[in-house]
């Protein structure tokens, strides 16, 4: 049996979890229920989003629906100061996924190991994150929002439970936790009803960006005010997250050389994989119980049909995450020959929207291993067969844990060595918060 311990929670985070677990009915951080807000059924999240944006339910009407949105330009604020400030509780939402009380919805979420398909949870988190942002930016006077709110980044998703049960109710709670000029950080918690108590199962942090009605330019969002010291702390954490993201982007291995320690790691790998019988820098041998990174690759192709569209007639970010996750899971499974459990997802940047009709190529590799843990990277790009041009749309990072010991992965080329170091950075950052 694998053991995982809850570890290193920030003060603000501990506060939220304490509040969320304090009663069997799942008492809220905010008292919105008293003000007439009830939990939303998960099925209604998408229909609410459609209503807010005025999206078509039939693909044949999508051009007309988008044209109607153009008229909403007049509702955009000229400056952020023109928009009324919001509190954290204003965007607080609870959503119920009643896997226990409504068995008919289980099948969509079920996997062969009799647990919940994590890819489906990723989809729900993404839709909910967007709904939370629309609630924050709600304009009392208008039904339709002029904003197109898109997912820019999945900063981190961490799991506290190894199993998500397919027959127990799930509750998601979340709110906007930090706001910039046009971007919003959203924190979502997922809890599962076990023996009458909602237990923390997963925490997620997303960054969403508001754009104009045609999704062409950034648009201002309402400022956020913190009401209590706890909320101030949550807001400060959002500020720190932004700085951390900027710093790690500056230190990206695509821009700067590895650190001295990292260079040593790579050189040691190089020395350990040289054939000592030859006096050559070219002949490489794989140490026992290890695998070359190039031999871990799996690929898949998706044709992006209208069915997978989001409310802005582009491909739904949750769908992209589910597909990438499932390929990443299969990569970890075939590498380790035993069932992988997802531990963390981090730093999924949505660099470019994916158009309907695109050919989406996903390629996955094991890029770092430590004990029985595997770090998998999935690269996604769209390919235009007419021009033969490729565009990267996302890079996904998944941390898995396996029940059995696994072989070590070894990079062979310089490029693979950078993937190895990048994988190690993501793994180490996940491990700061989660002990496996
Ligand atoms: C219709 C029926 C179907 C129904 C189905 C319903 C399903 C439900 C669907 C629900 C919908 C589900 C949702 C979906 O499916 S959304 C689909 C998935 N997401 C995308 O396609 C987005 C693709 N990416 C882009 O379009 C651009 O890269 C964006 C727009 C994101 C940024 O563009 P650009 O780089 O040019 O932006 P900027 O320089 O002007 O900066 C603007 C602001 O953005 C901040 N920023 C930028 N990047 C990041 C980052 N990585 N981390 C943190 N922050 C970031 C930046 O700091 C600044 O903030 P601020 O300083 O202003 O505060």
């Amino acid at each position: 049996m694998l053991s995982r311990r809850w570890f290193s929670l920030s003060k603000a985070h501990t506060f939220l979890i304490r509040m969320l677990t304090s009663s069997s009915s799942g008492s809220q951080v905010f008292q919105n229920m008293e003000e007439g807000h009830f939990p939303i059924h998960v099925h209604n999240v998408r229909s609410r989003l459609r209503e807010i944006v005025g999206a078509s339910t039939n693909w044949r009407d999508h051009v007309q629906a988008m044209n109607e949105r153009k008229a909403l330009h007049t509702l955009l604020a000229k400056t952020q100061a023109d928009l009324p400030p919001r509190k954290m509780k204003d965007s607080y939402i609870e959503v119920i996924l009643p896997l226990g009380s409504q068995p008919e919805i289980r099948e969509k979420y079920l996997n062969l190991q009799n647990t919940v398909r994590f890819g489906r949870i990723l989809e729900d988190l993404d839709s909910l994150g967007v709904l939370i942002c629309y609630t924050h930016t709600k304009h009392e006077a208008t039904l339709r929002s002029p904003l197109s709110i898109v997912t820019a980044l999945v900063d981190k998703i961490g799991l506290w439970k190894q199993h998500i049960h397919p027959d127990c109710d799930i509750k998601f709670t979340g709110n906007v936790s930090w706001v910039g000029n046009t971007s919003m950080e959203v924190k979502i918690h997922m809890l599962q009803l076990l023996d009458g108590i909602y237990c923390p199962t997963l925490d997620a942090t997303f960054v969403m960006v508001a754009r104009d009605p045609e999704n062409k330019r950034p648009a201002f969002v309402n400022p956020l005010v913190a009401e209590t010291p706890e909320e101030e702390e949550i807001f400060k954490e959002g500020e720190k997250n932004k700085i951390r993201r900027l710093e790690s982007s500056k230190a990206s291995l695509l821009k700067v050389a590895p650190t001295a320690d990292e260079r040593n790691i790579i050189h040691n790998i190089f020395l350990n994989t040289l054939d000592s019988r030859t006096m050559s820098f070219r002949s490489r041998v794989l140490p026992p119980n290890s695998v070359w990174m190039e031999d871990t690759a799996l690929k898949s192709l998706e044709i992006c049909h209208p069915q997978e569209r989001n409310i802005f007639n582009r491909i739904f970010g949750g769908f992209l995450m589910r597909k990438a996750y499932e390929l990443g899971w299969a990569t970890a499974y075939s590498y380790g020959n035993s069932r992988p459990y997802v531990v963390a997802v981090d730093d999924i940047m949505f660099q470019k929207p994916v158009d309907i009709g695109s050919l989406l190529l996903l390629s996955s590799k094991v890029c770092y291993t430590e004990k029985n843990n595997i770090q998998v990277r999935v690269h996604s790009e769209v390919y235009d067969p007419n021009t033969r041009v490729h565009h990267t749309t996302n890079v996904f990072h998944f941390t898995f844990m396996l029940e059995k010991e696994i072989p070590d992965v070894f990079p062979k080329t310089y490029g693979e060595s950078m993937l190895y170091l990048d994988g190690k950075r993501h793994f180490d950052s996940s491990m700061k918060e989660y002990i496996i």
Side-chain angles (χ1 to χ4, degrees), residues 46 49-50 55-57 126-127 130 149-153 178-184 207 209 211 215 218 242 245 307 309-318 320 349-354:
R46 287 176 174 216
L49 283 169
R50 262 191 227 112
S56 63
T57 41
D126 196 20
S127 314
V130 174
I149 297 179
V150 299
T151 314
L153 177 80
W178 173 86
V179 156
N181 295 317
T182 67
S183 61
M184 291 162 277
V207 179
V209 171
R211 319 266 296 162
N215 195 359
K242 183 175 177 167
R245 285 192 287 267
Q307 189 183 18
R309 73 189 185 279
N310 64 18
I311 38 182
F312 317 113
N313 296 322
R314 294 287 185 46
I315 292 297
F316 172 39
L320 301 174
M349 210 188 281
F350 288 85
Q351 293 171 18
K352 273 193 192 315
V354 176

Side-chain angles (χ1 to χ4, degrees), residues 415-432:
E416 285 177 357
S417 301
M418 295 306 103
L419 287 184
Y420 183 90
L421 292 179
D422 191 50
K424 181 173 171 12
R425 286 184 185 183
H426 283 284
F427 181 78
D428 290 346
S429 120
S430 295
M431 289 310 101
K432 265 193 212 160

